[in-house]
């Protein structure tokens, strides 16, 4: 208790030196919370958008389906199990048939993925209702990224070639009905969404599908022969991993900030031990034990972290609240990250993040303060009183 | 009137390692101090005055022999026990005042009482009493940098006396002061010695201080050359 009281007095009495250190340390607090909040916000948005646009509450995969191997798509299809019929009719499951194909936009050749989906589905956010049109060609919708890459726009016609169930090549014209704006690259890049019935006919695979998207709250049945159930955690695993990697990358930045702040604290502490020798000697002469003096200097150092948390809160809370409200605008050209990234990321500052940051900075500051303070216990009080450098 | 011995020093030797050998700072000191003495260790630089004062103050320990202070054998005290002895029973006054620069006069004087875990009310009363003894009532909120040398030393005296210790050890207390301030603080200490029966032991070679001493112990090359009682208690 006495160490707290004296440390507070010493720090406040030291004036500008204290406040400079406190300010640097407070920047470390705010930056760590900001960057982690940004990553958490991105993670939440990416997860939410991926769930809304692609995976819903989970998926059944045809047993041979491998989303990372487009050459397997032509073989990864099966008849939709009859156990799902009622759920499909109720709109709680949406079947998707996936096929490898080739398009020829502006005379170029480009491999794509054709995805057939029920036009009346409401499970995914995809605007599949736009496919409900009566036209001579096959209606298709594409995402803004694919539109940009292929220069395909609304009402454009594009020739598509595919292989049917017998391996025979066939071709047709797809008219782009609309271009949707979506943050999830995995439903956008290199793919055209067309009505499921059309694709089933094109592929000669009536009533077949590659995946079944579950919009129901509960798993329907995880034991369907020839189908494998993938839950949300599995389906967002890639996002989690990528964001974790990016979090580690960005953490280098705030580690540098934190290291600079710690250097300032360490430097202050080391200088204190030399500059305040007389003071240390006086403390000892007046009856403080060496342990008490070491504790006092350690607490003084650690107090920086407490004051920095207060100072950081004073200017950090309004700034972070404002940033959380207006979000962080992602620069043009940064959206092809391989995972969902909105135009604006809204940082998410959880209580856990704030508390863990405060504890982390406090612990590091205390350790950094204690290390030089240990030197005091080796000082001869008789020399310290005279301020002799030892 | 029979006086009680509060400090007893027997065959005290203090050696400091220098290179491969030793420098003998104190060599066979035998002496003692009674309660209420106003005594001084006098002698030239290097005679061992400060070393003896440090041992009495339990800031240092004897190499040989014994130093018993208020019944405690200084040589056998642990760091913590020595700290407790200083905290409860000994006040220090230094040549360079050694005030805590970021504290006010009040806080500097209050400091020893904080270590003794006194209540805020007790501390405030004791500090005001001490400030009154040294006549610094108008400087209570000043920091040391705003005070003159004489005022700083008066704060140091108040800090040493505020807990009413049995012993006050003053190492060259007037070395940084002019004649007028020196007399002023010596008069203050003499008054406190009379009123509170505190034992004052000085280490000095300042004639102004020597003139105030009731007992003069002359040190030379680590030995007592002369022990002279000028005025009995």
């Amino acid at each position: 208790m006495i160490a707290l009281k004296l440390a507070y007095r010493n720090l406040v009495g030291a004036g500008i030196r204290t406040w400079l250190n406190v300010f640097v340390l407070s920047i470390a607090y705010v930056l760590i919370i900001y960057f982690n909040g940004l990553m958490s916000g991105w993670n939440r948005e990416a997860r939410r958008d991926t769930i809304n646009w692609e995976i819903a509450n989970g998926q059944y995969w045809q047993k041979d389906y491998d989303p990372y191997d487009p050459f397997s798509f032509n073989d990864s299809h099966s008849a939709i199990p009859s156990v799902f019929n009622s759920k499909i009719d109720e709109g709680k499951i949406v079947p998707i048939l996936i096929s490898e194909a080739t398009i020829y936009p502006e005379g170029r050749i480009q491999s794509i993925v054709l995805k057939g989906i029920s036009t009346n589905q409401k499970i995914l956010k995809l605007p599949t209702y736009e496919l409900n049109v009566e036209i001579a060609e096959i209606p298709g919708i594409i995402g803004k990224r694919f539109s940009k890459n292929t220069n395909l726009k609304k009402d454009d016609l594009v020739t598509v070639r595919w292989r049917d169930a017998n391996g025979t090549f066939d071709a047709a014209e797809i008219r782009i009905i609309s271009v949707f704006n979506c943050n999830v690259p995995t439903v956008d890049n290199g793919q055209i969404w067309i009505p499921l019935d059309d694709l089933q006919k094109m592929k000669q695979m009536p009533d077949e599908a590659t995946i079944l998207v579950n919009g129901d709250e509960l798993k329907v049945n995880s034991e369907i022969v020839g189908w494998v159930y993938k839950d949300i955690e599995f389906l967002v695993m890639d996002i989690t991993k990528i964001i974790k990697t990016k979090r580690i990358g960005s953490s280098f930045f705030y580690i540098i900030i934190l290291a600079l702040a710690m250097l300032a604290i360490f430097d202050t502490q080391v200088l204190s031990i030399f500059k305040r020798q007389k003071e240390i000697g006086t403390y000892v002469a007046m009856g403080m034990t060496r342990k008490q003096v070491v504790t006092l200097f350690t607490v003084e150092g650690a107090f920086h972290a407490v004051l920095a948390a207060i100072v950081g809160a004073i200017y950090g809370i309004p700034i972070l609240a404002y940033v959380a409200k207006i979000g962080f605008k992602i620069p043009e050209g940064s959206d092809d990250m391989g995972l969902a990234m909105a135009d604006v990321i809204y940082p998410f500052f959880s209580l856990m993040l704030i508390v863990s940051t405060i504890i982390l900075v406090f612990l590091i500051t205390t350790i950094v303060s204690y290390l030089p303070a240990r030197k005091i216990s080796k000082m001869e009080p008789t020399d310290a009183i005279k301020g002799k450098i030892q | 009137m029979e006086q009680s011995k509060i400090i007893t020093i027997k065959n005290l030797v203090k050696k400091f390692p220098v290179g491969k050998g030793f420098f003998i700072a104190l060599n066979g000191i035998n002496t003692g101090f009674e309660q209420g003495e106003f005594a001084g260790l006098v002698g030239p630089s290097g005679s061992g005055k400060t070393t003896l004062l440090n041992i009495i103050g339990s800031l240092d320990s004897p190499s040989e022999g014994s130093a018993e202070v208020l019944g405690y054998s200084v040589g056998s005290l642990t760091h913590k026990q020595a700290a407790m002895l200083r905290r409860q029973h000994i006040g220090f006054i230094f040549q360079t005042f050694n005030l805590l620069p970021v504290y006010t006069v009040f806080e500097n004087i209050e400091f020893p009482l904080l270590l003794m875990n006194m209540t805020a009310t007790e501390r405030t009363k004791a500090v005001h009493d001490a400030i009154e003894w040294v006549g610094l009532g108008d400087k209570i909120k000043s920091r040391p940098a705003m005070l003159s040398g004489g005022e700083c030393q008066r704060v140091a005296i108040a800090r040493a006396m505020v807990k009413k210790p049995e012993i006050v050890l003053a190492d060259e207390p007037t070395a940084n002061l002019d004649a007028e301030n020196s007399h002023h603080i010596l008069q203050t200490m003499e008054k406190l010695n009379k009123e509170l029966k505190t034992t004052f032991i000085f280490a000095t070679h300042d004639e102004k201080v020597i003139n105030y001493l009731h007992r003069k112990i002359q040190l030379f090359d680590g030995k007592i050359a002369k022990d002279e009682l000028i005025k009995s208690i």
Side-chain angles (χ1 to χ4, degrees):
Chain A
M1 195 60 197
I2 189 169
L4 287 177
K5 191 167 189 168
L6 296 177
Y8 176 77
R9 271 189 190 176
N10 288 347
L11 282 183
V12 172
I16 191 81
R17 188 185 65 186
T18 298
W19 294 113
L20 273 174
N21 285 333
V22 163
F23 183 67
V24 172
L25 197 54
S26 73
I27 292 174
Y29 270 120
V30 174
L31 283 179
I32 290 172
I33 292 171
Y34 173 70
F35 277 104
N36 275 313
L38 194 63
M39 288 294 155
S40 297
W42 184 13
N43 195 3
R44 276 161 61 96
E45 282 178 38
R47 191 182 163 98
R48 189 186 59 215
D49 287 348
T50 306
I51 288 170
N52 288 343
W53 284 82
E54 188 184 13
I55 64 178
N57 288 329
Q59 294 177 343
Y60 286 94
W61 287 7
Q62 198 277 343
K63 64 179 174 50
D64 299 321
Y65 174 60
D66 177 0
Y68 299 111
D69 180 11
F71 296 109
S72 72
F73 293 170
N74 285 334
D75 300 321
S76 50
H77 54 87
S78 294
I80 299 167
S82 57
V83 69
F84 293 134
N85 288 345
S86 63
K87 293 281 181 187
I88 291 170
D89 293 343
E90 288 169 23
K92 289 180 177 170
I93 282 183
V94 59
I96 295 173
L97 181 63
I98 299 173
S99 170
E100 191 200 359
T102 308
I103 57 167
Y104 301 89
E106 297 175 337
R108 290 179 285 117
I109 183 167
Q110 186 171 348
S111 291
I112 62 148
V113 175
L114 270 180
K115 289 185 173 175
I117 185 167
S118 166
T119 54
N120 298 319
Q121 68 81 28
K122 290 192 174 69
I123 293 174
L124 299 178
K125 218 175 164 184
L126 286 163
T128 52
Y129 57 87
E130 299 203 60
L131 294 169
N132 280 322
V133 287
E134 296 287 332
I135 54 172
E137 306 84 13
I138 300 163
I141 55 172
I142 57 173
K144 64 176 181 184
R145 289 177 184 78
F146 189 57
S147 167
K148 192 178 168 187
N149 293 342
T150 55
N151 210 19
L152 285 173
K153 297 179 187 67
K154 190 182 172 190
D155 293 330
D156 281 355
L157 275 175
V158 63
T159 305
V160 62
R161 192 183 71 144
W162 69 94
R163 287 169 70 171
D164 64 20
N166 303 311
T168 308
F169 280 105
D170 202 349
E173 297 266 273
I174 290 180
R175 184 174 292 281
I176 305 302
I177 300 298
S178 84
V179 175
F180 58 84
N181 190 358
C182 164
N183 301 319
V184 185
T186 45
V187 297
D188 177 341
N189 279 340
Q191 47 199 290
I192 301 177
W193 295 82
I194 62 173
L196 177 64
D197 296 343
D198 287 343
L199 187 56
Q200 284 173 338
K201 278 180 207 156
M202 288 157 68
K203 295 284 288 180
Q204 294 184 17
M205 296 173 184
D207 296 326
E208 291 198 14
T210 308
I211 60 174
L212 303 165
V213 181
N214 177 24
D216 219 349
E217 286 299 317
L218 300 167
K219 275 194 294 185
V220 181
N221 189 343
S222 56
E223 297 297 324
I224 305 292
V225 177
W227 296 81
V228 184
Y229 188 77
K230 305 290 183 186
D231 64 13
I232 292 181
E233 288 315 312
F234 175 84
L235 295 167
V236 298
M237 200 161 59
D238 285 349
I239 297 174
T240 312
K241 279 181 183 168
I242 291 171
I243 290 177
K244 198 173 175 184
T245 309
K246 292 197 180 305
R247 194 188 286 270
I248 292 167
S250 70
S251 66
F252 279 106
F253 182 68
Y254 66 71
I255 285 171
I256 290 170
I257 297 288
L258 189 59
L260 283 174
M262 289 304 125
L263 195 66
I265 303 289
F266 187 80
D267 191 44
T268 304
Q269 289 295 102
V270 172
L271 275 176
S272 289
I273 309 305
F274 286 103
K275 280 177 72 179
R276 296 168 63 188
Q277 278 191 79
K278 230 178 183 179
E279 190 181 323
I280 292 166
T282 309
Y283 288 142
V284 173
M286 283 192 281
M288 276 181 97
T289 62
R290 288 175 176 185
K291 194 177 162 190
Q292 277 180 313
V293 183
V294 172
T295 307
L296 172 63
F297 274 71
T298 306
V299 171
E300 262 185 43
F303 235 114
H304 284 99
V306 176
L307 292 176
I310 296 167
V311 170
I314 290 169
Y315 71 86
I317 289 173
I319 290 174
L320 295 180
Y322 179 69
V323 171
K325 194 178 171 191
I326 64 157
F328 178 80
K329 194 166 170 19
I330 303 297
E332 287 284 328
S334 321
D335 59 345
D336 196 16
M337 302 286 284
L339 74 161
M341 184 180 249
D343 297 334
V344 177
I345 292 179
Y346 294 93
F348 176 67
F349 307 112
S350 65
L351 184 65
M352 181 73 174
L353 167 66
I354 293 165
V355 170
S356 61
T357 305
I358 289 171
I359 291 172
L360 173 81
V361 175
F362 181 79
L363 284 179
I364 294 176
T365 312
T366 307
I367 292 166
V368 165
S369 307
Y370 170 71
L371 293 175
R374 279 186 315 173
K375 198 173 164 62
I376 294 168
S377 61
K378 291 170 188 155
M379 273 186 184
E380 284 299 330
T382 48
D383 290 333
I385 288 167
K386 291 172 189 163
K388 285 183 183 175
I389 303 268
Q390 291 169 57
Chain B
M1 193 171 103
E2 194 176 315
Q3 297 297 320
S4 57
K5 272 224 161 108
I6 57 170
I7 300 168
T8 309
I9 293 166
K10 284 182 186 163
N11 305 319
L12 180 69
V13 176
K14 181 65 187 177
K15 298 174 185 174
F16 293 105
V18 179
K20 288 177 182 173
F22 288 96
F23 166 72
I24 299 175
L26 296 173
N27 193 0
I29 302 287
N30 285 292
T31 187
F33 297 89
E34 290 169 353
Q35 191 181 351
E37 281 203 41
F38 201 74
L41 307 169
V42 299
S45 292
S47 58
K49 310 182 292 288
T50 301
T51 306
L52 183 54
L53 212 62
N54 285 339
I55 291 172
I56 294 169
S58 74
L59 288 169
D60 210 344
S61 54
S63 304
E64 291 168 29
S66 69
E68 204 170 272
V69 178
L70 298 165
Y72 297 97
S73 172
V74 172
S76 57
L77 293 177
T78 62
H79 282 302
K80 194 174 175 181
Q81 286 169 330
M84 295 309 289
L85 174 64
R86 289 192 295 271
R87 187 183 299 180
Q88 302 290 342
H89 305 290
I90 301 173
F92 286 89
I93 298 168
F94 304 102
Q95 177 182 341
T96 50
F97 324 131
N98 287 43
L99 298 179
L100 302 171
V102 298
Y103 289 5
T104 61
V105 165
F106 183 93
E107 288 166 343
N108 264 287
I109 300 171
E110 185 193 24
F111 189 88
L113 306 179
L114 278 172
L115 295 179
M116 294 169 79
N117 289 324
M118 284 174 73
T119 64
T121 319
E122 290 170 334
R123 289 201 305 269
T124 306
K125 188 186 176 306
V127 171
H128 280 108
D129 285 349
I131 285 173
E132 202 176 304
W133 295 335
V134 295
L136 280 173
D138 54 333
K139 304 281 183 183
I140 202 159
K141 287 180 182 168
S142 305
R143 292 186 193 277
M146 298 154 72
L147 304 176
S148 68
E151 286 169 334
C152 281
Q153 198 59 298
R154 279 149 68 192
V155 175
I157 293 167
R159 182 178 66 183
M161 291 300 299
V162 70
K163 61 188 175 189
K164 296 182 181 165
E166 282 87 341
I167 302 162
V168 168
L169 304 173
D171 190 4
E172 305 281 9
T174 55
N176 284 352
L177 302 180
D178 58 31
E180 190 186 337
N181 272 310
S182 298
H183 284 300
H184 192 155
I185 69 132
L186 283 163
Q187 282 161 4
T188 305
M189 286 193 273
E190 198 177 35
K191 186 181 84 175
L192 291 169
N193 165 255
K194 270 184 196 160
E195 287 176 6
L196 302 172
K197 301 282 175 248
T198 305
T199 303
F200 277 78
I201 303 174
F202 296 84
T204 186
H205 57 256
D206 183 349
E207 280 301 323
K208 296 188 290 292
V209 178
I210 294 167
N211 289 337
Y212 276 86
L213 298 175
H214 301 179
R215 181 184 170 195
K216 190 167 76 175
I217 300 169
Q218 190 89 40
L219 288 174
F220 192 78
D221 279 351
K223 292 179 179 169
I224 294 177
K226 196 175 173 186
D227 189 345
E228 189 181 355
L229 184 66
I230 300 158
K231 198 192 286 181
S232 62
I233 300 166

